[in-house]
Amino acid sequence: MVGDTEGQPRRRLTRAEAKARTRDQILDAAARVFAEKGYAGASVEEIAESAGFSTGALYSNFDSKQELFLQLMLAWRSRATERQAEQATRFVDDDNEDPLVLLAQRLARVTDRSTEAAALQAEFWLYAVRNPEAMQILAQTTAARIDALIPLVTHVMQRYGGNPGIAPEEVTRIALGMFAGLARQRRIDPGAVSADLITQGLRWLLIGMSTASPD
Amino acid sequence: MVGDTEGQPRRRLTRAEAKARTRDQILDAAARVFAEKGYAGASVEEIAESAGFSTGALYSNFDSKQELFLQLMLAWRSRATERQAEQATRFVDDDNEDPLVLLAQRLARVTDRSTEAAALQAEFWLYAVRNPEAMQILAQTTAARIDALIPLVTHVMQRYGGNPGIAPEEVTRIALGMFAGLARQRRIDPGAVSADLITQGLRWLLIGMSTASPD
DNA sequence: TGTACATCAGTGAACGCGCGTTCACTGATGTAC
DNA sequence: TGTACATCAGTGAACGCGCGTTCACTGATGTAC
């Protein structure tokens, strides 16, 4: 999964590369364990062992449990934003017939799959509410996420006869908020929040936006 | 604050009443400490002492930390729903000129005041995702909350020339989801989510709903 | 290429600490007569 | 009303346990000549 550039046979890792690999494996394990047990409920020993290392290895890569969590926030949210940006680009390029329905279906599917990701996001949010440094990281990565989604939202807005006086960023934030809120409700009571309800909400929002008179 | 019915002088509490009072005080303290530290981060000793009792008193009223948390969920969310139902009724009776703007302003104010309540709600959700019994409590109290808000939403829908084919419950769930999602964003970055943005989102939603053709 | 030494990523036992829970006890409240 | 006993809400010290963090150590990798 690493290297392989210019068709060389599998090269032995340098010390720095090996360390970076360990760090990544610990971050992966941390994501799993923090999602399952929460910040305070997760133990560094379980994280280290789940990654296949001793606790000492963890402390050789991170200063403390808090630092590990902050680094996880940064790494995880950055990577998620990158993936979203790619998917958004591909979606716009595909130029589907009814983008909104397709989009809502995908979102509903994402919701149902990854409870782990949702729990982790909630942990991030709670940690940030209690910790200014984490709050800053969350604000920055959220802004990056919004930016990554703007092309997609602009595209859908145009399809719905968008109102040119409206900032795509605002629509993006509202749509994202609505989706996140409904996803959370859906996880509590899947029967009460159908995939259609999500589509419905997004559609009403876009119709309303394109109909409303600019103030 | 207790009793005083029929102008009697302050009556001494019976054993049962005194115990119920202690229980309530511990639940109040639990709400504060769980909101501040999270479920795993809060200690029963801190909760008991914050309520002015020993840990033994806590265990005399609740079987375990988990049980305390579940009881808090039930009590806190029931009380919140009651308050919301009252406020919703009053709001409908007042019959304001532009109910949506007033409503959004109030919601924004609520958001800014009580970070404690928001953190507690997030703790409830996370605990529920990891614990089936809590999930059930959350689903039930959420349904009750939706029911309590339906009269309000119906009222606003009528004002916006509502589409009679649309179930008020669906609109309520979508609106609540949107509000909750934006509130969370606002707490991370108040500058990026203004009170106007919340108004905007709710308005677009209602306009879209009343404009959309029923399918 | 080969040798001698330096570096340092990762080990794992040890530490002190704070946690959730228990339980023998206390004394105010309740009950029976 | 007064007395003797029963109840039980709340006390607080004690318990065993698992936690985050440290650190002397190991042996593979890197460096100098």
PDB file of all heavy atoms in Angstrom, chain A residues 170-182:
ATOM      1  N   GLU A 170     -24.375  29.485   2.322  1.00  0.00           N
ATOM      2  CA  GLU A 170     -25.495  29.439   3.257  1.00  0.00           C
ATOM      3  C   GLU A 170     -26.358  28.216   3.011  1.00  0.00           C
ATOM      4  O   GLU A 170     -26.740  27.506   3.946  1.00  0.00           O
ATOM      5  CB  GLU A 170     -26.332  30.710   3.135  1.00  0.00           C
ATOM      6  CG  GLU A 170     -25.582  31.959   3.583  1.00  0.00           C
ATOM      7  CD  GLU A 170     -26.498  33.168   3.704  1.00  0.00           C
ATOM      8  OE1 GLU A 170     -27.693  33.038   3.368  1.00  0.00           O
ATOM      9  OE2 GLU A 170     -26.022  34.221   4.143  1.00  0.00           O
ATOM     10  N   VAL A 171     -26.652  27.975   1.744  1.00  0.00           N
ATOM     11  CA  VAL A 171     -27.485  26.814   1.407  1.00  0.00           C
ATOM     12  C   VAL A 171     -26.783  25.532   1.851  1.00  0.00           C
ATOM     13  O   VAL A 171     -27.404  24.616   2.399  1.00  0.00           O
ATOM     14  CB  VAL A 171     -27.786  26.769  -0.104  1.00  0.00           C
ATOM     15  CG1 VAL A 171     -28.696  25.586  -0.420  1.00  0.00           C
ATOM     16  CG2 VAL A 171     -28.411  28.066  -0.562  1.00  0.00           C
ATOM     17  N   THR A 172     -25.477  25.487   1.616  1.00  0.00           N
ATOM     18  CA  THR A 172     -24.710  24.303   1.997  1.00  0.00           C
ATOM     19  C   THR A 172     -24.803  24.064   3.500  1.00  0.00           C
ATOM     20  O   THR A 172     -25.038  22.940   3.953  1.00  0.00           O
ATOM     21  CB  THR A 172     -23.230  24.471   1.602  1.00  0.00           C
ATOM     22  OG1 THR A 172     -23.155  24.813   0.222  1.00  0.00           O
ATOM     23  CG2 THR A 172     -22.466  23.183   1.843  1.00  0.00           C
ATOM     24  N   ARG A 173     -24.621  25.126   4.278  1.00  0.00           N
ATOM     25  CA  ARG A 173     -24.674  24.960   5.742  1.00  0.00           C
ATOM     26  C   ARG A 173     -26.042  24.500   6.195  1.00  0.00           C
ATOM     27  O   ARG A 173     -26.169  23.621   7.054  1.00  0.00           O
ATOM     28  CB  ARG A 173     -24.320  26.288   6.448  1.00  0.00           C
ATOM     29  CG  ARG A 173     -22.841  26.621   6.380  1.00  0.00           C
ATOM     30  CD  ARG A 173     -22.406  27.561   7.519  1.00  0.00           C
ATOM     31  NE  ARG A 173     -21.582  26.852   8.489  1.00  0.00           N
ATOM     32  CZ  ARG A 173     -20.258  26.937   8.563  1.00  0.00           C
ATOM     33  NH1 ARG A 173     -19.590  27.712   7.742  1.00  0.00           N
ATOM     34  NH2 ARG A 173     -19.594  26.259   9.476  1.00  0.00           N
ATOM     35  N   ILE A 174     -27.081  25.085   5.615  1.00  0.00           N
ATOM     36  CA  ILE A 174     -28.439  24.691   6.004  1.00  0.00           C
ATOM     37  C   ILE A 174     -28.713  23.243   5.618  1.00  0.00           C
ATOM     38  O   ILE A 174     -29.214  22.447   6.423  1.00  0.00           O
ATOM     39  CB  ILE A 174     -29.482  25.632   5.367  1.00  0.00           C
ATOM     40  CG1 ILE A 174     -29.348  27.035   5.962  1.00  0.00           C
ATOM     41  CG2 ILE A 174     -30.890  25.093   5.574  1.00  0.00           C
ATOM     42  CD1 ILE A 174     -30.192  28.077   5.275  1.00  0.00           C
ATOM     43  N   ALA A 175     -28.325  22.885   4.386  1.00  0.00           N
ATOM     44  CA  ALA A 175     -28.588  21.515   3.915  1.00  0.00           C
ATOM     45  C   ALA A 175     -27.818  20.504   4.753  1.00  0.00           C
ATOM     46  O   ALA A 175     -28.344  19.456   5.147  1.00  0.00           O
ATOM     47  CB  ALA A 175     -28.201  21.389   2.443  1.00  0.00           C
ATOM     48  N   LEU A 176     -26.566  20.837   5.047  1.00  0.00           N
ATOM     49  CA  LEU A 176     -25.742  19.945   5.852  1.00  0.00           C
ATOM     50  C   LEU A 176     -26.331  19.796   7.257  1.00  0.00           C
ATOM     51  O   LEU A 176     -26.398  18.687   7.803  1.00  0.00           O
ATOM     52  CB  LEU A 176     -24.309  20.501   5.938  1.00  0.00           C
ATOM     53  CG  LEU A 176     -23.267  19.560   6.520  1.00  0.00           C
ATOM     54  CD1 LEU A 176     -23.133  18.319   5.662  1.00  0.00           C
ATOM     55  CD2 LEU A 176     -21.911  20.268   6.640  1.00  0.00           C
ATOM     56  N   GLY A 177     -26.759  20.924   7.830  1.00  0.00           N
ATOM     57  CA  GLY A 177     -27.380  20.886   9.147  1.00  0.00           C
ATOM     58  C   GLY A 177     -28.613  20.006   9.149  1.00  0.00           C
ATOM     59  O   GLY A 177     -28.789  19.161  10.030  1.00  0.00           O
ATOM     60  N   MET A 178     -29.451  20.180   8.139  1.00  0.00           N
ATOM     61  CA  MET A 178     -30.674  19.392   8.053  1.00  0.00           C
ATOM     62  C   MET A 178     -30.358  17.911   7.931  1.00  0.00           C
ATOM     63  O   MET A 178     -30.937  17.075   8.641  1.00  0.00           O
ATOM     64  CB  MET A 178     -31.501  19.830   6.858  1.00  0.00           C
ATOM     65  CG  MET A 178     -32.892  19.281   6.879  1.00  0.00           C
ATOM     66  SD  MET A 178     -33.858  19.998   5.549  1.00  0.00           S
ATOM     67  CE  MET A 178     -33.565  18.756   4.312  1.00  0.00           C
ATOM     68  N   PHE A 179     -29.415  17.606   7.048  1.00  0.00           N
ATOM     69  CA  PHE A 179     -29.059  16.207   6.866  1.00  0.00           C
ATOM     70  C   PHE A 179     -28.510  15.596   8.157  1.00  0.00           C
ATOM     71  O   PHE A 179     -28.927  14.510   8.578  1.00  0.00           O
ATOM     72  CB  PHE A 179     -28.051  16.045   5.738  1.00  0.00           C
ATOM     73  CG  PHE A 179     -27.500  14.664   5.660  1.00  0.00           C
ATOM     74  CD1 PHE A 179     -28.305  13.607   5.297  1.00  0.00           C
ATOM     75  CD2 PHE A 179     -26.173  14.413   5.990  1.00  0.00           C
ATOM     76  CE1 PHE A 179     -27.820  12.321   5.246  1.00  0.00           C
ATOM     77  CE2 PHE A 179     -25.674  13.129   5.952  1.00  0.00           C
ATOM     78  CZ  PHE A 179     -26.493  12.079   5.578  1.00  0.00           C
ATOM     79  N   ALA A 180     -27.591  16.311   8.807  1.00  0.00           N
ATOM     80  CA  ALA A 180     -26.989  15.786  10.039  1.00  0.00           C
ATOM     81  C   ALA A 180     -28.048  15.582  11.127  1.00  0.00           C
ATOM     82  O   ALA A 180     -28.044  14.564  11.822  1.00  0.00           O
ATOM     83  CB  ALA A 180     -25.898  16.734  10.529  1.00  0.00           C
ATOM     84  N   GLY A 181     -28.959  16.546  11.248  1.00  0.00           N
ATOM     85  CA  GLY A 181     -30.006  16.452  12.252  1.00  0.00           C
ATOM     86  C   GLY A 181     -30.930  15.267  11.998  1.00  0.00           C
ATOM     87  O   GLY A 181     -31.273  14.518  12.915  1.00  0.00           O
ATOM     88  N   LEU A 182     -31.321  15.084  10.737  1.00  0.00           N
ATOM     89  CA  LEU A 182     -32.207  13.963  10.411  1.00  0.00           C
ATOM     90  C   LEU A 182     -31.489  12.631  10.565  1.00  0.00           C
ATOM     91  O   LEU A 182     -32.074  11.640  10.998  1.00  0.00           O
ATOM     92  CB  LEU A 182     -32.752  14.126   8.990  1.00  0.00           C
ATOM     93  CG  LEU A 182     -33.843  15.194   8.856  1.00  0.00           C
ATOM     94  CD1 LEU A 182     -34.229  15.389   7.396  1.00  0.00           C
ATOM     95  CD2 LEU A 182     -35.074  14.810   9.676  1.00  0.00           C
TER      96      LEU A 182
END
